[in-house]
Amino acid sequence: MRSEIEERRKNLEEMTKRLRERMTRVKHKIVVMSGKGGVGKSTFTANLALAFSNKGYRTGILDADIHGPSIPKILGVRGRSMRAGPNGALPVNGPKEIKIVSMDFLLTSDETPVIWRGPLKDAVIRQFLSEIDWGELDLLLVDLPPGTGDEPLSVMQQIPGIDGVLLITVPSEVSQLVVRRAVGFVEKMGVPILGIVENMSGFVCPKCGEVTAVFGSGGGKKISDELGLPFLGSIPLDPRISEDSDEGRPFILERSGTPAANAFARLVEVIEEKLKEKG
Ligand SMILES: Nc1ncnc2c1ncn2[C@@H]1O[C@H](COP(=O)(O)OP(=O)(O)OP(=O)(O)O)[C@@H](O)[C@H]1O
Ligand SMILES: [Mg+2]
């Protein structure tokens, strides 16, 4: 019994060591989070990764949404699987060479739900970080499920040297309250917040280009000011984002030059500045 416990402790220590080694080869780590569900975190993460790759960053995405992984669908790599390599399993290569790791690659059927409690989710996230051969990366983006549950806790406890969290909100009043909760959570975890991004901010008519504030406007900026956090920018609501994501077409590559694609490119610059400030 004693030796079994000893063995487990040793395994965990080795895993943690491997995790740290792997993560030191990743220059920047950014976590995408929100208080509320459905505000567009995954869509945002996928397109931000594309925008960074466009600028020559070697980019990876850890899809840490264990119950509802959606990055592979958005980037059109569903049904692929992670192959074994000499230094651990290899992430799936997505568009623009984005390295993707997701629970979706481990599920054999669309109908199978993942029914796991916290410790199991914690263990799988640890394995995603320690047993996957991420290689050298300039940026790892982590997509989280909504709220402040098990996955955000595991991610923030396990990933060393997170540069910061991007908080995604929508311009409606309801989500402002939950943003506060998310901010409180991140602060408790001792992880820096890079700033707030407003998604679905204004509808861009694909025909005439006119912008309509469907959910009101300025909510993201207002909450940022109230909480004393940087407001990094906004992404407009564009039905083509949703269409492309459903079809697995990488939006900003397909629709370069649209206001939403330009907004992603601008955000990359703002985030680069933030990373530079941090040194
Ligand atoms: N800027 C946008 N314009 C139009 N549709 C968008 C935009 N951002 C996201 N969407 C759409 O909104 C829906 C929710 O997006 P997404 O799944 O990325 O949200 P999420 O915050 O990751 O959700 P969850 O909390 O369930 O993980 C999707 O259908 C997506 O295509
Ligand atoms: Mg999501």
Side-chain angles (χ1 to χ4, degrees), residues 103-124:
M103 192 66 199
D104 192 58
F105 300 139
L106 305 177
L107 301 172
T108 44
S109 123
D110 280 358
E111 289 89 40
T112 317
V114 177
I115 308 172
W116 285 358
R117 291 186 197 278
L120 258 183
K121 288 190 268 183
D122 193 67
V124 82

Side-chain angles (χ1 to χ4, degrees), residues 21-64:
E21 276 165 11
R22 299 229 198 243
M23 287 299 115
T24 51
R25 299 174 68 199
V26 178
K27 221 189 229 161
H28 295 294
K29 298 127 191 149
I30 294 177
V31 176
V32 179
M33 192 183 171
S34 75
K36 207 167 94 118
V39 296
K41 287 175 298 303
S42 306
T43 312
F44 174 84
T45 307
N47 283 287
L48 190 71
L50 290 166
F52 268 104
S53 301
N54 258 347
K55 277 197 92 173
Y57 282 66
R58 293 164 301 175
T59 310
I61 301 179
L62 169 64
D63 181 356

Side-chain angles (χ1 to χ4, degrees), residues 16 133 171 204 249:
T16 309
D133 184 8
V204 185
R249 285 190 302 258

